[in-house]
Amino acid sequence: MVDYHAANQAYQYGPSSGGGNGAGGGGSMGDYMAQEDDWDRDLLLDPAWEKQQRKTFTAWCNSHLRKAGTQIENIDEDFRDGLKLMLLLEVISGERLPKPERGKMRVHKINNVNKALDFIASKGVKLVSIGAEEIVDGNAKMTLGMIWTIILRFAIQDISVEETSAKEGLLLWCQRKTAPYKNVNVQNFHISWKDGLAFNALIHRHRPELIEYDKLRKDDPVTNLNNAFEVAEKYLDIPKMLDAEDIVNTARPDEKAIMTYVSSFYHAFSGAQKAETAANRICKVLAVNQENEHLMEDYERLASDLLEWIRRTIPWLEDRVPQKTIQEMQQKLEDFRDYRRVHKPPKVQEKCQLEINFNTLQTKLRLSNRPAFMPSEGRMVSDINNGWQHLEQAEKGYEEWLLNEIRRLERLDHLAEKFRQKASIHEAWTDGKEAMLKQRDYETATLSDIKALIRKHEAFESDLAAHQDRVEQIAAIAQELNELDYYDSHNVNTRCQKICDQWDNLGSLTHSRREALEKTEKQLETIDQLHLEYAKRAAPFNNWMESAMEDLQDMFIVHTIEEIEGLISAHDQFKSTLPDADREREAILAIHKEAQRIAESNHIKLSGSNPYTTVTPQIINSKWEKVQQLVPKRDHALLEEQSKQQSNEHLRRQFASQANMVGPWIQTKMEEIGRISIEMNGTLEDQLSHLKQYERSIVDYKPSLDLLEQQHQLIQEALIFDNKHTNYTMEHIRVGWEQLLTTIARTINEVENQILTRDAKGISQEQMQEFRASFNHFDKKQTGSMDSDDFRALLISTGYSLGDAEFNRIMSVVDPNHSGLVTFQAFIDFMSRETTDTDTADQVIASFKVLAGDKNFITAEELRRELPPDQAEYCIARMAPYQGPDAAPGALDYKSFSTALYGESDL
């Protein structure tokens, strides 16, 4: 670069890569220089034009020299020593010139200017009548001509629109950009620009926010010109090269000055357009990445929510701790029904939708050449499926366990009530018996009284023996309650033990009293046989009646029509014994009447009631009447239960009828979907429409399932535990329905992904049908996927010549998980991947390089200037600092960022 220290000791500068069009080219200047001679070589003689050129060329030179930290004041004086001229050429070309001479003599100046002129000539420019001496001597005409030559070569030469010359290309560019604007008609580079509207139109066309064009008036050219010049200088970094008054007050403004100024607009806006194109490409790529990241975040969030729900639900389903009462267990059953009807179905849909979203995201990533999405640890689709299987395993048998527990508690309640009833009857019977057995009345009794006491005691022993069976029943019921883990077993055992201890004590007391009576029996005389016979027959009959009343009031629980019919049959058999019992009652009462008749006939005064028994005729008649009343009540209860069991049987048959229809329907639909997924005909859109119509028909069948749920709930509320009329349970139907909905949703998603792949890859409908036909032909098992041997045959049929290495490479692409199977989606992805035009990392790097001005790094300021705010901040947050040797403060590495977008490297 020029050593400018000789001319300006305070100025230091380094190499610059900017400025103009550079020096890439070197094409011949002969044509347009000859044309330039024809334009008018005498224009510089006009003082007005010379003034315009001086100002314009000076501003143009300074717009480049300021990059090196200097400027010129007088164009024909400041270039005389050649130093700033050489500096100008280095800045605008980006190349180094020979080292300048430091001396201040005329010869040194001429040598420096010649070095500059030689450099200009090396770029293919013919310098006509311009020599170093004229420049050194300050010849204004020659100096302006030289600068114009530099402007033509470095600012205008490369402007070409539709293969026109530089001047015509610049003019055609201006005409096209200003064509839509009223009062603008660019035909040349002089009078077409006098009113200033063309300058304002150029700015408005590219930066409409800077100019309020509709408010400009054609009859106010000075305002228009000043407005354009000020806006260009302030917002476009184009220095003011013209004076509005000079242009307005000149009949024909200088063409070279106008061209020079207009070329600055061309370069400013063509660079912006290039940067805009690059920015648009980057925005497109970033938008894809941002959308994919949003989908990934949504997946992670939904997966976490679903896994958390599964984590919370499984312990609840695995909690098999029984409750103490039927009401508590029925509440758990109702909670489980709410879970199956209300809480689980949305989660089934969420799980299915999550799988669909995951497949769609992977398809989008493949289509945009991004690496496959790997969810965070523990949130893979397989993790969700494993959790779901665990959930269903925990759920399996839970409802059956609840119903068995309810049945167990019902049995326990029944046994507990039966225990309490029998215990109460027994305790009522034993009340006062110990005191009675402890009496010593026989010590003062008469002979006849003794005889009576003996008979009475014998009757008591008979009664005691009759109650032995009840005590054994009480103990047996208590034992069964213990074995069934009754929650109140402690109180039951305490009461049972008390009854048994009392029974043993009664036995001991009975034995002791009998021995005392027998000791004095020898002293007793004849006992009234009739009373004794009455007592002996009345006691068992009384016991029979008590047992009959107990049986008639006994609680019962049945679950089938056969069980209730068995109870009815037993009750009918009991009723058939009533006539014999009535005859026995009449015989017993006749004995009592006979005793009274004899006493009356022989004038015997009875001391009171029968001394051998407390069972009086009144008691017998009262209990018999009670038995007579309980029989029809028992009839009514059994008939009611028979009606209930008939109703339950109706519910069983009703559920079975619906289940036997819904179950086969679901199985048929599953088989039809399997055939549809293999035998898809027509366009993908037709297939998708057909599948969605099929899905609607399945959803429309939901009321049949709801009806079955209602019938199942009625069965459960009726505590019906089995159904011999169908092999289908509600659980089987629910699982089948969920599988049917999931299968049709997955099939629709597969077709949607095929449409997405077809459109993104540019596959025609005919190609897609050909792919499908070929795939189906080699899908021997018609499962929608094929093994490696069938896939190799398919590839060979499509024209592939496969060696083992190439085939293994292809298999690693279509079967990355090494499952040994190739799906249709993987097949069409492979067939279209290598021929599709998609964004690549190299394209994104090239776009960033444009925005960075060809630098190997980019700054945050440049990103914020060229990209929308959200995408600029997205890049800044993810770009690593640039570490290259040419790094500047705040430099960011856009290359590693771009490759990372496509999974080729890590930031």
Side-chain angles (χ1 to χ4, degrees):
M1 179 175 279
V2 174
D3 185 358
Y4 189 58
H5 288 284
N8 187 351
Q9 295 297 326
Y11 170 57
Q12 293 181 354
Y13 60 91
S16 173
S17 61
N21 291 322
S28 174
M29 289 281 290
D31 294 340
Y32 69 80
M33 284 303 297
Q35 186 182 36
E36 178 57 22
D37 290 341
D38 295 339
W39 288 348
D40 193 349
R41 294 182 57 82
D42 297 329
L43 290 178
L44 291 176
L45 299 177
D46 187 303
W49 288 337
E50 182 177 342
K51 178 182 178 183
Q52 291 176 6
Q53 286 189 11
R54 279 178 175 275
K55 180 175 181 60
T56 301
F57 291 177
T58 298
W60 185 87
C61 291
N62 284 334
S63 70
H64 295 288
L65 286 172
R66 68 182 179 183
K67 299 174 184 178
T70 189
Q71 63 179 8
I72 61 173
E73 299 294 337
N74 190 325
I75 197 168
D76 51 358
E77 289 292 332
D78 292 349
F79 286 140
R80 290 179 64 183
D81 60 4
L83 293 177
K84 288 191 177 181
L85 180 59
M86 293 177 72
L87 179 62
L88 174 66
L89 290 172
E90 284 192 347
V91 171
I92 63 177
S93 70
E95 299 181 26
R96 282 188 177 276
L97 272 66
K99 185 175 181 180
E101 298 183 10
R102 296 180 178 275
K104 295 186 178 181
M105 298 177 62
R106 176 178 173 83
V107 65
H108 298 140
K109 297 179 181 180
I110 290 175
N111 288 340
N112 287 340
V113 173
N114 274 328
K115 290 178 181 179
L117 296 179
D118 291 343
F119 179 78
I120 296 172
S122 72
K123 299 304 179 183
V125 179
K126 294 180 181 180
L127 297 172
V128 181
S129 302
I130 298 177
E133 291 80 359
E134 287 85 351
I135 303 302
V136 173
D137 292 339
N139 185 317
K141 177 180 178 181
M142 290 303 175
T143 302
L144 291 174
M146 177 190 66
I147 297 303
W148 173 242
T149 299
I150 293 172
I151 293 172
L152 278 175
R153 171 61 185 86
F154 291 102
I156 300 177
Q157 176 185 347
D158 292 336
I159 299 175
S160 177
V161 180
E162 296 184 357
E163 301 181 356
T164 59
S165 67
K167 177 181 178 180
E168 292 171 346
L170 183 61
L171 184 63
L172 180 57
W173 179 78
C174 294
Q175 289 171 341
R176 287 184 174 178
K177 295 298 182 180
T178 61
Y181 294 87
K182 63 181 180 179
N183 298 326
V184 177
N185 183 17
V186 177
Q187 297 297 325
N188 48 54
F189 284 107
H190 38 79
I191 61 175
S192 294
W193 303 82
K194 285 192 65 174
D195 59 11
L197 292 178
F199 290 112
N200 283 278
L202 273 182
I203 298 174
H204 185 269
R205 180 64 181 272
H206 294 89
R207 297 287 299 276
E209 76 278 7
L210 301 179
I211 298 290
E212 293 182 313
Y213 186 84
D214 293 338
K215 294 184 178 180
L216 300 178
R217 294 173 24 233
K218 187 174 181 65
D219 58 358
D220 191 4
V222 174
T223 300
N224 297 341
L225 289 165
N226 283 328
N227 182 66
F229 297 161
E230 292 169 1
V231 169
E233 185 172 37
K234 182 176 180 180
Y235 296 103
L236 305 180
D237 199 27
I238 299 175
K240 186 176 181 181
M241 300 182 185
L242 302 170
D243 280 329
E245 291 76 7
D246 291 344
I247 295 176
V248 173
N249 295 331
T250 304
R252 186 171 183 267
D254 179 63
E255 192 171 44
K256 294 181 176 63
I258 298 293
M259 282 184 65
T260 300
Y261 188 48
V262 171
S263 71
S264 297
F265 283 92
Y266 174 86
H267 291 299
F269 292 135
S270 64
Q273 184 174 1
K274 186 177 180 182
E276 180 180 355
T277 301
N280 287 339
R281 176 179 290 276
I282 292 172
C283 289
K284 175 184 174 183
V285 172
L286 294 179
V288 170
N289 241 53
Q290 288 174 308
E291 180 185 0
N292 290 340
E293 287 187 0
H294 288 319
L295 291 175
M296 294 175 190
E297 292 169 359
D298 289 342
Y299 174 88
E300 291 281 345
R301 176 178 53 79
L302 292 175
S304 296
D305 292 346
L306 185 57
L307 287 169
E308 174 61 19
W309 178 81
I310 293 173
R311 186 191 65 78
R312 294 196 314 268
T313 305
I314 286 176
W316 175 68
L317 292 172
E318 291 179 339
D319 179 14
R320 304 295 171 90
V321 177
Q323 302 300 312
K324 294 181 178 180
T325 65
I326 291 180
Q327 291 73 21
E328 292 173 322
M329 291 304 296
Q330 285 177 334
Q331 183 59 50
K332 289 178 73 71
L333 179 61
E334 188 60 34
D335 292 342
F336 179 74
R337 290 170 179 164
D338 286 343
Y339 158 79
R340 290 309 308 262
R341 292 194 304 262
V342 179
H343 301 295
K344 186 183 178 185
K347 299 302 178 183
V348 173
Q349 296 176 4
E350 287 180 16
K351 175 177 176 293
C352 178
Q353 190 62 45
L354 193 66
E355 294 177 2
I356 291 172
N357 291 351
F358 180 83
N359 293 335
T360 302
L361 172 59
Q362 300 293 36
T363 299
K364 287 186 176 182
L365 291 172
R366 286 198 306 272
L367 296 178
S368 58
N369 285 340
R370 269 56 167 189
F373 169 53
M374 288 296 294
S376 59
E377 184 176 357
R379 295 185 177 90
M380 299 286 288
V381 172
S382 59
D383 295 320
I384 295 172
N385 287 333
N386 290 337
W388 193 265
Q389 289 178 1
H390 190 184
L391 175 74
E392 291 185 332
Q393 288 172 357
E395 180 181 317
K396 185 177 181 181
Y398 185 71
E399 186 176 32
E400 182 180 356
W401 173 77
L402 288 173
L403 294 174
N404 287 336
E405 276 302 310
I406 291 175
R407 184 185 302 180
R408 184 181 70 84
L409 290 174
E410 183 182 51
R411 171 67 176 164
L412 284 174
D413 282 356
H414 171 71
L415 288 174
E417 181 59 31
K418 193 169 185 178
F419 173 83
R420 286 189 289 270
Q421 187 181 70
K422 288 184 177 292
S424 296
I425 293 173
H426 177 76
E427 288 165 347
W429 178 83
T430 59
D431 184 40
K433 294 296 191 291
E434 291 182 354
M436 181 268 293
L437 292 172
K438 292 178 180 179
Q439 290 179 7
R440 302 181 67 83
D441 51 348
Y442 55 85
E443 293 179 352
T444 58
T446 64
L447 183 62
S448 60
D449 292 335
I450 292 298
K451 290 183 179 290
L453 289 175
I454 291 175
R455 301 298 183 270
K456 183 178 180 181
H457 189 70
E458 290 176 349
F460 173 76
E461 286 180 326
S462 176
D463 199 8
L464 186 67
H467 279 78
Q468 176 68 33
D469 182 63
R470 180 179 291 113
V471 174
E472 292 175 354
Q473 290 179 8
I474 291 172
I477 293 173
Q479 179 62 28
E480 188 172 0
L481 287 172
N482 284 324
E483 292 173 353
L484 293 176
D485 194 23
Y486 181 53
Y487 77 95
D488 199 24
S489 293
H490 174 71
N491 290 331
V492 169
N493 292 335
T494 300
R495 190 172 184 182
C496 180
Q497 187 62 45
K498 183 179 179 181
I499 289 173
C500 292
D501 291 344
Q502 186 186 40
W503 183 257
D504 291 339
N505 191 36
L506 284 177
S508 176
L509 292 174
T510 300
H511 179 71
S512 298
R513 184 171 178 82
R514 181 174 183 80
E515 286 182 345
L517 291 174
E518 287 178 348
K519 185 178 181 180
T520 57
E521 185 179 10
K522 296 177 181 179
Q523 304 170 6
L524 300 179
E525 296 182 350
T526 305
I527 300 172
D528 189 346
Q529 295 297 324
L530 288 175
H531 279 184
L532 181 58
E533 183 181 359
Y534 172 88
K536 289 182 177 180
R537 295 181 66 175
F541 184 71
N542 180 66
N543 188 63
W544 175 87
M545 287 192 296
E546 288 181 348
S547 296
M549 288 189 292
E550 183 178 346
D551 291 340
L552 288 173
Q553 297 178 85
D554 189 22
M555 298 172 61
F556 58 84
I557 178 170
V558 296
H559 295 96
T560 66
I561 190 70
E562 291 79 9
E563 291 177 354
I564 188 61
E565 287 176 351
L567 290 179
I568 291 174
S569 175
H571 183 60
D572 290 341
Q573 186 176 359
F574 167 76
K575 289 193 293 183
S576 67
T577 65
L578 290 178
D580 290 339
D582 191 33
R583 286 190 288 273
E584 175 67 10
R585 181 184 66 86
E586 292 292 344
I588 292 171
L589 294 178
I591 292 173
H592 178 72
K593 291 178 181 178
E594 179 65 16
Q596 288 185 332
R597 185 189 67 78
I598 292 173
E600 292 174 358
S601 298
N602 296 284
H603 306 287
I604 298 173
K605 186 177 181 181
L606 298 177
S607 60
S609 60
N610 192 325
Y612 308 118
T613 182
T614 59
V615 182
T616 65
Q618 292 77 14
I619 292 175
I620 290 176
N621 286 331
S622 174
K623 291 184 177 180
W624 178 256
E625 184 179 353
K626 181 67 174 176
V627 169
Q628 295 295 98
Q629 292 172 353
L630 289 175
V631 168
K633 289 183 179 180
R634 183 74 168 183
D635 286 336
H636 179 71
L638 290 172
L639 289 176
E640 278 190 343
E641 184 62 29
Q642 184 182 39
S643 175
K644 174 185 174 183
Q645 291 304 322
Q646 288 173 344
S647 174
N648 288 353
E649 183 67 11
H650 171 71
L651 291 177
R652 287 190 184 94
R653 293 182 181 275
Q654 180 179 262
F655 175 83
S657 175
Q658 184 72 3
N660 290 336
M661 177 178 65
V662 173
W665 184 89
I666 291 175
Q667 181 63 33
T668 300
K669 294 301 177 182
M670 287 292 292
E671 295 171 356
E672 290 177 358
I673 293 173
R675 289 196 298 272
I676 290 173
S677 63
I678 296 174
E679 302 172 359
M680 289 184 174
N681 298 315
T683 67
L684 290 176
E685 285 75 8
D686 292 341
Q687 296 172 20
L688 183 61
S689 175
H690 177 62
L691 284 171
K692 288 187 175 180
Q693 183 178 0
Y694 202 82
E695 182 182 39
R696 286 193 295 272
S697 70
I698 291 175
V699 173
D700 290 343
Y701 196 73
K702 183 63 164 54
S704 298
L705 195 73
D706 294 338
L707 176 59
L708 194 63
E709 284 282 8
Q710 294 171 6
Q711 294 170 349
H712 178 63
Q713 184 168 350
L714 292 176
I715 281 180
Q716 289 190 331
E717 289 173 353
L719 295 178
I720 299 173
F721 303 108
D722 52 16
N723 193 339
K724 64 183 180 181
H725 304 297
T726 181
N727 292 326
Y728 291 100
T729 67
M730 196 63 233
E731 180 65 25
H732 294 154
I733 297 293
R734 289 169 183 152
V735 171
W737 178 255
E738 292 170 359
Q739 291 177 346
L740 179 61
L741 291 178
T742 300
T743 301
I744 188 63
R746 286 174 176 165
T747 305
I748 289 173
N749 179 244
E750 178 185 351
V751 176
E752 290 174 338
N753 283 340
Q754 291 177 19
I755 292 174
L756 187 62
T757 302
R758 181 199 65 192
D759 295 342
K761 301 293 187 179
I763 302 174
S764 67
Q765 183 62 39
E766 291 75 15
Q767 287 176 306
M768 185 63 76
Q769 290 176 342
E770 182 179 348
F771 289 157
R772 170 57 78 179
S774 299
F775 189 88
N776 287 345
H777 176 74
F778 288 94
D779 183 9
K780 304 298 185 182
K781 299 178 182 178
Q782 299 296 297
T783 61
S785 60
M786 61 180 68
D787 58 27
S788 58
D789 291 338
D790 291 338
F791 183 61
R792 181 191 286 270
L794 171 58
L795 291 178
I796 293 174
S797 73
T798 58
Y800 276 84
S801 178
L802 296 172
D804 289 340
E806 175 63 12
F807 180 69
N808 290 335
R809 182 192 69 82
I810 294 174
M811 282 300 295
S812 69
V813 173
V814 299
D815 183 21
N817 296 324
H818 305 291
S819 66
L821 297 176
V822 181
T823 64
F824 179 66
Q825 182 66 41
F827 170 61
I828 60 174
D829 283 348
F830 166 75
M831 294 299 290
S832 57
R833 180 180 293 111
E834 298 180 2
T835 59
T836 303
D837 181 19
T838 59
D839 290 323
T840 65
D842 290 340
Q843 290 174 324
V844 176
I845 291 173
S847 298
F848 272 118
K849 191 169 186 178
V850 171
L851 298 187
D854 285 338
K855 300 191 300 295
N856 290 325
F857 59 84
I858 195 167
T859 65
E861 180 181 357
E862 289 169 331
L863 287 170
R864 292 189 176 103
R865 183 176 68 243
E866 301 293 347
L867 299 178
D870 61 329
Q871 294 189 336
E873 299 305 325
Y874 177 84
C875 293
I876 293 169
R878 288 163 173 77
M879 282 187 182
Y882 177 68
Q883 304 295 338
D886 54 339
L892 299 175
D893 188 350
Y894 60 77
K895 290 184 180 178
S896 61
F897 171 76
S898 300
T899 55
L901 290 177
Y902 291 86
E904 298 176 16
S905 69
D906 294 326
L907 286 176

